[in-house]
């Protein structure tokens, strides 16, 4: 396909491309792929769509289909500079969502229906959609689908990927979501219910709420897994500004997994300015390694069940100033109402380094609790909201009259801890606390 079409307009080659025609050219192209195949979209900044592209195959065995834009893949994989690059050579498609209102209006770009075994989407710029890709249903039987979503640049979508595994049985598996750059996401980058054995890598999601756009009553959980989901890996994720209109308690998490989830691995992940929590973990046997949460509202890491294993993590600057929720006394670097095992943790200028509630437990070792100028009135000891258990081994507590070098680290810093000289020297000399994103485990 191309914007105006060319040659014989039969889709047989680039010289004979279908015309886009508000998406009808793509619909015809997909119908031609009765036995599976790839639909190619030529470069243009001017594609528009006011409906939904339904991807399905009727009759026979399930098919593999792909929609690919022009251009080359984006770079990813170098953490600290892992904000995926987009390419001006990728086609741009604009939907119907209003930027000024940002409610639930707008159209869905792709809806996957029956007869599809595998679907790929890559090298596209997508602007102003309610949902970019939707698959599955809570209410009806659905064919299992594998997905490969790569090199996608999204602006001002409510939700980028929505996956509902049928019958609550984690029937969807083997998805790969890589090199996604999403800005102006008011709800979620991915909502996955019933997704397992899948990988998310090199993901950047920013609601840009602090840049003058306000999302009324739309809870932003940038990555959100519900059960049953298991054995998923998230690598090199940066989440920024998940927020909701503030009432008594304002939500907004960078990463959330609900209770019927297990065996997740998060590596090299970072969260900036969540109004509520950075990483909210409600399942079992989850591991978070090399993680940072900066300028958060309530809790940087929140453990509801467990066991959850946190290794080489930092929580810095609780409270978000005047933006914090009105849930008094809840600002903690690590909160546990379940079972948390923590090593090489740095708590920097938090109300409290950790909090135990609902009979939870925290087992802490090789960690650093630190306060600097302007925060010396806060606590260096754990807080108990109810009966629970706290054990520590080799935990260093320090108060410093000087300021930290950087209150608002930049997500483009390849070694985020190098800005915190006030803690970095202690980490290096005493072997406690967060050691930076070069850490590969003991």
């Amino acid at each position: 396909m191309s914007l105006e079409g060319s040659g014989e307009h039969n889709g047989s080659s680039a010289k004979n491309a279908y015309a886009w025609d508000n998406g009808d050219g793509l619909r015809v192209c997909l119908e031609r792929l009765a036995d599976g195949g790839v639909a190619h979209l030529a470069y243009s900044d001017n594609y528009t769509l006011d409906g939904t592209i339904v991807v399905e195959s009727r009759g026979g065995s399930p098919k593999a289909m792909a929609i690919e834009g022009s251009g080359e893949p984006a770079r990813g994989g170098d953490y600290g500079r892992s904000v995926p690059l987009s390419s001006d050579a990728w086609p741009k498609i604009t939907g119907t969502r209003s930027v000024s209102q940002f409610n639930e209006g707008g159209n869905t770009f792709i809806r996957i229906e029956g007869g599809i075994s595998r679907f790929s989407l890559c090298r596209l710029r997508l602007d102003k959609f309610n949902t970019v890709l939707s698959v599955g249903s809570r209410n009806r039987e659905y064919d299992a689908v594998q997905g490969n979503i790569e090199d996608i640049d999204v602006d001002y979508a409510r939700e980028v990927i929505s996956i509902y595994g049928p019958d609550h049985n984690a029937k969807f598996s083997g998805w790969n979501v890589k090199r996604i750059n999403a800005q102006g996401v008011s709800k979620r980058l991915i909502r996955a219910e019933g997704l397992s054995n899948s990988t998310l890598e090199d993901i950047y999601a920013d609601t840009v709420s602090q840049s003058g756009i306000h999302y009324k009553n739309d809870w932003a959980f940038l990555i959100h897994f519900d059960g049953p989901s298991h054995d998923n890996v998230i690598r090199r994720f940066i989440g920024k500004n998940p927020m909701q209109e503030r009432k008594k308690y304002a939500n907004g998490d960078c990463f959330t997994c609900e209770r019927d989830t297990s065996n997740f691995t998060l590596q090299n992940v970072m969260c900036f300015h969540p109004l509520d929590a950075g990483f909210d973990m409600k399942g079992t046997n989850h591991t978070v390694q090399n993680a940072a949460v900066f300028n958060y509202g309530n809790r940087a890491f929140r453990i509801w069940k467990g066991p959850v294993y946190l290794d080489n993590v930092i929580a810095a600057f609780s409270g978000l100033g005047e933006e914090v929720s009105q849930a008094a006394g809840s600002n903690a670097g690590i909160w546990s109402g379940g079972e948390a095992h923590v090593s090489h943790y740095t708590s920097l200028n938090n109300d409290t380094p950790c909090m135990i509630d609902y009979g939870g437990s925290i087992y802490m070792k090789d960690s650093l609790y630190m306060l600097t100028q302007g925060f010396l009135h806060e606590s260096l000891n754990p807080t108990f909201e109810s009966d629970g258990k706290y054990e520590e081994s080799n935990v260093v507590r320090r108060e410093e009259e000087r300021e930290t070098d950087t209150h608002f680290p930049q997500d483009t810093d390849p070694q985020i801890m190098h800005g915190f000289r006030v803690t970095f020297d202690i980490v290096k000399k005493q072997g406690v606390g967060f050691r930076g994103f070069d850490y590969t485990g003991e």
Side-chain angles (χ1 to χ4, degrees), residues 110-140:
I110 297 290
R111 170 72 188 170
I112 301 176
E113 289 292 349
I116 305 300
S117 60
R118 185 169 183 84
F119 177 75
S120 296
L121 187 73
C122 64
R123 299 191 298 279
L124 293 173
R125 292 176 293 153
L126 302 165
D127 190 18
K128 299 183 181 66
F129 284 95
N130 184 291
T131 304
V132 169
L133 173 65
S134 176
V135 58
S137 171
R138 285 177 170 172
N139 304 315
R140 57 189 172 93

Side-chain angles (χ1 to χ4, degrees), residues 323-349:
E323 294 299 322
V324 69
S325 300
Q326 298 174 15
S330 65
N331 302 326
I334 297 173
W335 178 95
S336 179
E339 180 183 339
H341 297 261
V342 187
S343 59
H344 291 283
Y345 163 54
T346 290
S347 171
L348 178 62
N349 294 336

Side-chain angles (χ1 to χ4, degrees), residues 182-245:
Q183 303 208 35
V185 179
S186 65
K187 185 69 173 177
R188 288 177 287 244
L189 182 133
I190 184 168
R191 166 73 161 92
E193 179 176 310
L195 177 68
S196 298
N197 299 299
S198 297
T199 300
L200 281 66
E201 289 184 336
D202 298 302
I203 305 295
Y204 181 89
D206 185 357
T207 71
V208 301
S209 291
Q210 293 192 340
S211 300
I213 296 177
H214 182 65
Y215 305 114
K216 184 175 181 179
N217 292 326
D218 216 356
W219 299 8
F221 296 156
L222 294 178
I223 293 181
H224 186 193
F225 281 89
D226 205 346
S229 295
H230 60 81
D231 296 284
N232 293 307
V233 176
I234 296 89
R235 299 189 185 99
R236 299 183 298 276
F237 161 62
I238 295 174
K240 299 181 71 174
N241 305 311
M243 295 190 176
Q244 178 203 16
E245 183 181 33

